[in-house]
Amino acid sequence: MATVEKQSDQDSVNGGAPSSTDIPVENPATGEIIAHVPDMGADEIAAMAARARAAQPAWEAMGFEGRGRVLMNMQKWLTDNADRVIRVVMSETGKTYEDAQMADWGYGMSAFGFWPKNAPEYLADESVKTAAKLLAGKKLILRYKPLGLIGVIGPWNYPLANSFGDAVPALAAGNAVILKPSEITPLTSQVLLEGLLECGVPEGVFQIATGRGGAGAALVDVVDMVMFTGSTATGKKVMARAAETLTPVSLELGGKDPMIVMADADLDRAASHAVYYSMFNGGQTCISVERVYVEAPVYDEFLAKVMDNMKDLRNDVSTGPGASDVGSMTFPPQVDIVERHVEDAKAKGAKVLIGGKRGHEGKGGYWYEPTVLVDVDHTMECMTEETFGPTLPIMKVADTEEAIRMANDSPYGLGASVFSKDVVRGEAVARRVDAGAVCVNDALMNYMALELPMGGAKASGLGSRHGAGGIRKYCQQQAILVSKYHMKHEVHMYPYKPRTTKALQKVFGLLNGRRKSV
Ligand code: NAD
């Protein structure tokens, strides 16, 4: 287990004094260093893998019921430790209390209920019928066998939901897990590890490998499957590295989610959703609303409503419930990216209606003002590259066809949203958007339905989390054939004889062949 030097009251995981190679963890809302974690090397990670492999068989042997009891206890633990967990998330991300509560703590609560409850059904043995006549009478079973050791590598934007959250189905399936959280936000998972141990997860079954990219790469080498969430650029590196050991990967990558506002939309709802889901979590959500296309007849009215929602937003350090609306940025270089996109847009003719500057008067930390951009087009980075910050670029389009064309003009395809009072038309438009998930008259909420697959199209990923596929990917599909009633010697076996070969050909043709072309 990684040790974390306690440097403030905000983190509660302890260890020895930091060494020169340790990674400092900053509160990005204030710039204060709050902890240090080790930058683990390949040897340490290999040793963790050995411990995990020794512990995994007993965990698997506990069965769904035994594991489920332990994991469900985490719901109670999370309830008892809600404020502490939320504040640790806030301390290393700079997000507001509400953002940490809803998307991190709330997701954890759901996941620890959902996976233990549904794992037995999703991973139940399936009895399979075959069309192969020669197998008549044999029992065929499809079984989901835990792969053994899963490596989860996570980003910094949701340290509970997106890193730790992916470990929950892997554990429920009977695997051991080594989690490599982002080096920017390694503290939340340490606190949750405490919870898992208290709830009865055996030592070694869940471990945390802290470190930078090198630790992630080393983890890829020693596990049976990699669940990666992060940028598309790093996802490609992970996939290339995993190819060397033929290790399967599931990749949840970047996005540039479009919102389409049709001429008949409920503009109040569309505007509040555009603002909330572009600014939520400081705009640092893979499925944030990153760009909006509004049909010309309602453009002005929509804009006025957006500005109405924006004008009173509080962009400040969150000290507790209700203290601020939009928090800081989490990853310092991300402020540069946001600034670059806004400046590029301005240079190409875009107008800033509100915000448009970095910084936060009189405070440290990493901040960019909640910003609305108009007169934007696809020559601008803010419309084509992932901004991952509190920006809302809005483009006027002639009609729905242009909106769909623009929405699909992207290498990404993670999420999208469509607003129309005519839900039949809205759904028809949703089906034409190239994205892994599309909401009609809503945005992002599909993520809360753990029954629905959530994964990216195009450069936004490979595979998905949630739903049956979100736990089966942590398993080997094992086919079992049991022959109970059979002959001592099968007719197709040695020695081959001309008569039997011809007879078998005839029988095979009669049983399987089509006598007429279709
Ligand atoms: P990142 O790709 O920089 O880092 C992600 C993780 O990969 C970190 O833990 C990092 O240490 C590790 N890593 C870096 N180099 C590695 C290597 N060579 N081998 C193995 N691991 C390595 O991403 P980030 O900046 O932390 O996160 C932001 C990105 O994540 C955004 O693009 C966002 O859209 C994406 N994201 C996607 C989803 C989704 O569900 N699709 C969810 C959240 C975030």
Side-chain angles (χ1 to χ4, degrees):
M1 172 183 150
T3 52
V4 179
E5 169 70 0
K6 185 174 177 181
Q7 296 216 339
S8 82
D9 289 339
Q10 283 180 306
D11 70 294
S12 50
V13 268
N14 301 298
S19 84
S20 58
T21 56
D22 283 352
I23 303 169
V25 183
E26 218 174 339
N27 180 334
T30 60
E32 182 199 2
I33 302 291
I34 52 172
H36 284 83
V37 294
D39 188 7
M40 290 188 178
D43 289 349
E44 280 167 283
I45 289 170
M48 287 177 119
R51 277 199 296 282
R53 289 189 188 284
Q56 185 270 335
W59 176 243
E60 182 181 348
M62 283 170 71
F64 290 119
E65 215 185 301
R67 292 193 299 272
R69 249 196 319 273
V70 169
L71 295 177
M72 278 191 201
N73 282 340
M74 272 300 280
Q75 279 190 317
K76 159 109 176 60
W77 189 91
L78 276 172
T79 309
D80 295 345
N81 290 273
D83 193 62
R84 177 179 168 218
V85 170
I86 289 168
R87 287 186 186 278
V88 172
V89 173
M90 290 165 70
S91 73
E92 60 179 351
T93 58
K95 62 178 83 180
T96 62
Y97 193 95
E98 286 74 8
D99 291 354
Q101 177 202 55
M102 185 168 158
D104 283 294
W105 178 81
Y107 183 89
M109 289 290 284
S110 305
F112 279 113
F114 180 82
W115 291 112
K117 179 162 175 272
N118 289 285
E121 190 190 320
Y122 285 152
L123 301 184
D125 282 4
E126 291 172 28
S127 168
V128 174
K129 289 199 175 23
T130 174
K133 308 283 192 304
L134 291 177
L135 297 184
K138 298 189 195 295
K139 186 164 135 187
L140 307 179
I141 303 160
L142 166 56
R143 181 225 169 174
Y144 297 97
K145 180 177 164 28
L147 282 166
L149 175 57
I150 309 298
V152 177
I153 301 175
W156 43 258
N157 57 337
Y158 289 104
L160 202 165
N162 281 154
S163 320
F164 185 82
D166 287 313
V168 183
L171 290 168
N175 295 290
V177 173
I178 299 177
L179 167 64
K180 209 274 312 158
S182 167
E183 58 274 36
I184 308 298
T185 54
L187 305 182
T188 303
S189 40
Q190 307 271 3
V191 177
L192 292 163
L193 170 62
E194 257 181 68
L196 284 175
L197 293 173
E198 268 177 44
C199 289
V201 170
E203 290 276 353
V205 166
F206 178 81
Q207 300 172 81
I208 298 168
T210 52
R212 299 194 170 90
L219 184 59
V220 172
D221 293 343
V222 296
V223 294
D224 300 314
M225 188 265 182
V226 180
M227 168 65 219
F228 173 83
T229 306
S231 63
T232 298
T234 311
K236 287 179 186 173
K237 287 188 203 160
V238 166
M239 192 167 172
R241 180 118 186 180
E244 287 170 26
T245 46
L246 279 183
T247 302
V249 293
S250 184
L251 305 175
E252 298 290 337
L253 308 177
K256 187 74 191 168
D257 289 11
M259 172 189 274
I260 295 177
V261 182
M262 292 167 68
D264 68 345
D266 175 338
L267 295 182
D268 287 312
R269 186 169 174 86
S272 64
H273 277 66
V275 170
Y276 186 69
Y277 288 116
S278 59
M279 302 300 153
F280 182 74
N281 212 50
Q284 305 158 108
T285 303
C286 52
I287 47 176
S288 281
V289 172
E290 283 252 337
R291 51 195 171 118
V292 182
Y293 303 98
V294 190
E295 288 190 33
V298 294
Y299 177 79
D300 290 340
E301 197 184 341
F302 174 77
L303 221 54
K305 289 180 189 294
V306 162
M307 293 310 290
D308 209 41
N309 276 275
M310 287 290 298
K311 69 180 190 315
D312 297 325
L313 276 189
R314 295 164 299 166
N315 181 213
D316 212 337
V317 180
S318 176
T319 49
S324 169
D325 298 313
V326 183
S328 74
M329 308 228 35
T330 301
F331 183 45
Q334 202 66 38
V335 187
D336 299 334
I337 295 173
V338 178
E339 185 174 55
R340 197 185 79 218
H341 286 193
V342 173
E343 294 308 316
D344 169 73
K346 277 161 62 183
K348 291 173 181 161
K351 268 212 296 285
V352 175
L353 293 191
I354 190 168
K357 287 199 306 296
R358 65 191 294 152
H360 192 242
E361 234 169 276
K363 306 230 164 59
Y366 306 98
W367 296 81
Y368 198 92
E369 294 174 346
T371 298
V372 174
L373 289 165
V374 292
D375 297 342
V376 290
D377 61 40
H378 278 214
T379 63
M380 300 171 187
E381 290 173 339
C382 70
M383 294 300 277
T384 55
E385 289 180 21
E386 186 178 47
T387 306
F388 222 58
T391 58
L392 180 60
I394 305 174
M395 181 172 167
K396 191 196 287 190
V397 290
D399 53 23
T400 307
E401 287 308 311
E402 189 184 0
I404 296 170
R405 212 169 44 247
M406 289 291 142
N408 287 339
D409 178 27
S410 171
Y412 294 111
L414 197 53
S417 54
V418 178
F419 283 77
S420 167
K421 281 189 195 139
D422 180 343
V423 290
V424 175
R425 271 191 76 213
E427 190 182 323
V429 171
R431 287 169 184 271
R432 293 176 58 197
V433 178
D434 301 331
V438 190
C439 295
V440 177
N441 296 326
D442 239 307
L444 274 79
M445 295 307 280
N446 60 291
Y447 204 93
M448 315 281 277
L450 300 190
E451 298 77 3
L452 267 179
M454 146 71 199
K458 301 196 271 186
S460 289
L462 209 64
S464 57
R465 55 164 67 93
H466 300 166
I471 187 164
R472 288 179 182 163
K473 70 184 179 186
Y474 296 125
C475 299
Q476 175 71 47
Q477 287 191 26
Q478 187 179 43
I480 295 177
L481 180 151
V482 180
S483 185
K484 188 168 178 192
Y485 306 105
H486 41 241
M487 296 178 288
K488 289 219 177 301
H489 183 88
E490 302 278 356
V491 283
H492 63 277
M493 289 182 169
Y494 301 134
Y496 290 155
K497 293 181 199 145
R499 245 181 69 204
T500 353
T501 302
K502 278 182 196 151
L504 276 174
Q505 192 162 322
K506 209 163 181 182
V507 172
F508 203 78
L510 282 172
L511 290 177
N512 296 292
R514 194 176 286 284
R515 270 172 272 296
K516 274 200 254 165
S517 309
V518 286

